[in-house]
Amino acid sequence: MAVPIRSGFLLDLFLDRTCAGCGQRVGRRCPLCTDQLASSAARPARVPFDGIRAGLPYDGLVRRLVVGLKYRGQLAAVEALVDVLERTVRSPPAFAPDLVTWAPTSAARRRGRGVDQAQLLARALARRLGVPCRPLLRRISGPAQTGRGRSARLLGPCFVSRPLRQGVQVLVVDDVVTTGATMRAATGALRSGGAGSVLGVAVAATPDRPAMAAPHR
Ligand SMILES: [Zn+2]
């Protein structure tokens, strides 16, 4: 007789459940790091572009969590990072999207990591907000951001959007804003696709020295 097995259970056997923030073995979320991130809510990151918000400066704990998720598949970081995203979207003026999507990483990078961290964050955030998450954007050219010079990274990737219902409100998620080029390309593509209002939201931003920033996509 077939025994029903939750796919989540099988996944758990293979995934790294070490918290990228504190190194403890944890379940779906790390209470310690979640609390610590919540207490840093008072210092939102400044992003010098309209229509793009980021929750925190990219340093310390939030940086460890993003790096752990992105490069080591430490999924316990997702819930703590989504707390930051949710708070950032709901903070005044709150944005009420009809759809959530993400800025997809390059196919080569996705193959290398086996995970698109922006997609994971977008799906989890959409569940919190109670709206659908859809793959609306396709990346059409350009190498990954990592390893490119600053001038090349400022040019950023190109995206095209699926055709959208006119006037729909779309939230586009990414992990880190460095130069802002990726997020601006993504929000611009969604507007061209018919979106009435678009907000880009990232967990963190590196406003000070983008040329020195940790690798971004
Ligand atoms: Zn932790």
Side-chain angles (χ1 to χ4, degrees), residues 48-107:
F49 305 110
D50 287 342
I52 303 176
R53 295 183 198 171
L56 293 169
Y58 187 54
D59 59 20
L61 174 59
V62 75
R63 182 178 177 140
R64 290 199 299 280
L65 289 167
V66 168
V67 168
L69 173 63
K70 200 163 174 170
Y71 299 105
R72 294 191 292 274
Q74 291 175 296
L75 293 187
V78 169
E79 292 297 322
L81 297 175
V82 171
D83 282 354
V84 176
L85 288 167
E86 183 181 5
R87 198 167 62 220
T88 306
V89 173
R90 292 189 191 276
S91 67
F95 186 76
D98 301 303
L99 289 173
V100 175
T101 192
W102 66 95
T105 191
S106 68

Side-chain angles (χ1 to χ4, degrees), residues 9-25:
F9 172 76
L10 277 180
L11 274 175
D12 283 349
L13 294 179
F14 298 103
L15 294 175
D16 186 346
R17 288 289 181 187
T18 309
C19 175
C22 62
Q24 299 296 308
R25 185 94 184 143

Side-chain angles (χ1 to χ4, degrees), residues 19 21-24 26 30 32-33:
C19 175
C22 62
Q24 299 296 308
V26 293
C30 172
L32 188 70
C33 292

Side-chain angles (χ1 to χ4, degrees), residues 49 52 102-105 118 137 139 143-145 148 153-159 172-189 200 216-217:
F49 305 110
I52 303 176
W102 66 95
T105 191
L137 292 168
R139 196 173 182 118
Q145 297 269 287
R148 297 166 79 194
R153 281 192 286 120
L154 281 171
L155 288 174
C158 291
F159 297 103
V172 56
V173 176
D174 205 353
D175 54 353
V176 182
V177 173
T178 50
T179 63
T182 298
M183 198 61 108
R184 277 180 295 158
T187 55
H216 187 38
R217 302 171 307 131

